[in-house]
Amino acid sequence: MIHGITGARRASVATVIALTTGALLAGGAFASGAQAAAPPTPSITAKGGFVMNDGTGKTLYTKAADTRRPTGSTTKIMTAKVVLAQKNLNLDSKVTIQKAYSDYIVSKNASSARLIVGDKVTVRQLLYGLMLPSGCDAAYALADKFGSGSTRAARVKSFIGKMNSSAKSLGLKNTHFDSFDGIGSGKNYSTPRDLTKLASNAMKNSTFRAIVKTKSTKQKVTTKSGGYRYMEWANTNPLLGGYSGAIGVKTGSGPTAKYCLVFAATRKGKTVIGTVLTSSSVSTRTADAKKLLDYGFKK
């Protein structure tokens, strides 16, 4: 006489149902996980780009990442790094602004911190003038101060030598500097990968980090007559205040470099850092950087 499904059979059917349901759930979870792990690779205007996870060093994006290109004022990342690496550095020591610095700005039609001849400006203030308004006069003053030699030309040459030695010590094989500010004679170049690695290293310095994330600053400097004046500088990096979590790093431009940007942002403890070189305009380099940051945070 049959009284329906036995206890053993019921247990077997229940097991099959449980296994099938589990497989479906697992499949669904796997599918959604795979979808989340593969954001579409962005298309950028810049001819070269590179992005990495700053915490792990993992590469997240490349586009002609090892092709050497002019770097414009992103060169000043290394200028700042060399200054900050000096032994027994006193950030509050003062530098007297020379006429040669302002003459240089005029002759090169270069970006300026509007430093005034005779003013006494601290090294820290010069670093702000270097990195925020991208002052080539500030770069010249720093090279003159921290190079060695009996003439200004010798000191500048010595400082650029320190920039190249630093690049070599960081293993930046596709990087070379022939200027302290990016206005060189055709031998000032790097790559998106090298510049990103340089910026990542520079960001380990707390003074550098504090400066490059500053949107604007007002600095009190001593005048030639012993009085004082205020210098106001705004950062040329539109990501600061324009992209959530942005913490730097440096813009660059030039006739051959076009438009460059080394950028970094931190969200939920994750820092993404990267570079775009040879973009077509200020707006496109900013758009390129935002796309790559978005992509980096999803990876």
Side-chain angles (χ1 to χ4, degrees):
M1 196 160 107
I2 298 171
H3 296 289
I5 300 173
T6 65
R9 179 93 181 275
R10 274 198 302 272
S12 174
V13 170
T15 301
V16 170
I17 291 169
L19 286 169
T20 305
T21 305
L24 286 169
L25 287 170
F30 177 79
S32 73
Q35 192 175 8
T41 304
S43 173
I44 62 171
T45 304
K47 289 187 178 178
F50 181 81
V51 179
M52 74 178 189
N53 181 321
D54 193 45
T56 64
K58 181 185 176 183
T59 297
L60 304 176
Y61 173 92
T62 64
K63 177 183 178 179
D66 300 305
T67 300
R68 296 174 177 180
R69 300 186 187 279
T71 56
S73 286
T74 61
T75 297
K76 291 165 181 159
I77 296 170
M78 181 60 93
T79 309
K81 177 175 166 50
V82 168
V83 171
L84 290 166
Q86 299 300 305
K87 288 182 180 178
N88 305 312
L89 176 66
N90 178 6
L91 288 166
D92 297 316
S93 65
K94 292 184 177 179
V95 175
T96 302
I97 304 306
Q98 306 295 316
K99 186 173 181 293
Y101 312 156
S102 58
D103 288 349
Y104 174 80
I105 291 296
V106 174
S107 69
K108 299 290 186 182
N109 191 27
S111 53
S112 170
R114 304 183 308 281
L115 300 175
I116 296 169
V117 177
D119 280 4
K120 291 179 172 59
V121 184
T122 68
V123 171
R124 190 192 310 274
Q125 289 168 335
L126 285 173
L127 287 167
Y128 274 97
L130 173 78
M131 299 303 283
L132 271 65
S134 200
C136 296
D137 45 357
Y140 196 168
L142 289 166
D144 193 7
K145 164 79 172 173
F146 291 102
S148 55
S150 57
T151 65
R152 185 173 289 122
R155 290 190 291 273
V156 167
K157 184 177 180 181
S158 160
F159 187 87
I160 295 167
K162 291 181 182 183
M163 293 170 71
N164 285 312
S165 293
S166 183
K168 189 175 181 181
S169 71
L170 289 172
L172 309 182
K173 295 179 181 177
N174 290 307
T175 297
H176 183 266
F177 301 104
D178 69 352
S179 72
F180 47 73
D181 57 2
I183 303 174
S185 55
K187 294 179 182 176
N188 208 90
Y189 58 79
S190 189
T191 68
R193 190 190 306 269
D194 275 9
L195 273 177
T196 302
K197 288 181 176 179
L198 167 60
S200 176
N201 182 271
M203 290 288 268
K204 291 185 168 84
N205 182 285
S206 59
T207 300
F208 184 90
R209 282 199 312 275
I211 290 169
V212 299
K213 73 177 182 183
T214 302
K215 280 183 70 177
S216 63
T217 186
K218 187 175 182 178
Q219 299 282 337
K220 185 178 180 179
V221 304
T222 306
T223 64
K224 187 176 183 178
S225 62
Y228 65 89
R229 78 172 94 246
Y230 286 100
M231 303 298 289
E232 294 187 49
W233 296 309
N235 204 314
T236 56
N237 183 359
L239 292 178
L240 298 172
Y243 186 87
S244 175
I247 55 171
V249 176
K250 186 72 188 74
T251 59
S253 61
T256 52
K258 301 303 180 188
Y259 297 90
C260 314
L261 183 57
V262 181
F263 51 86
T266 300
R267 290 181 180 176
K268 296 179 181 177
K270 177 181 178 179
T271 297
V272 174
I273 190 165
T275 300
V276 288
L277 292 181
T278 326
S279 198
S280 56
S281 68
V282 169
S283 59
T284 54
R285 82 178 167 196
T286 305
D288 286 344
K290 286 181 176 179
K291 281 183 190 176
L292 293 182
L293 283 167
D294 286 345
Y295 182 72
F297 282 118
K298 287 174 186 171
K299 288 283 279 185

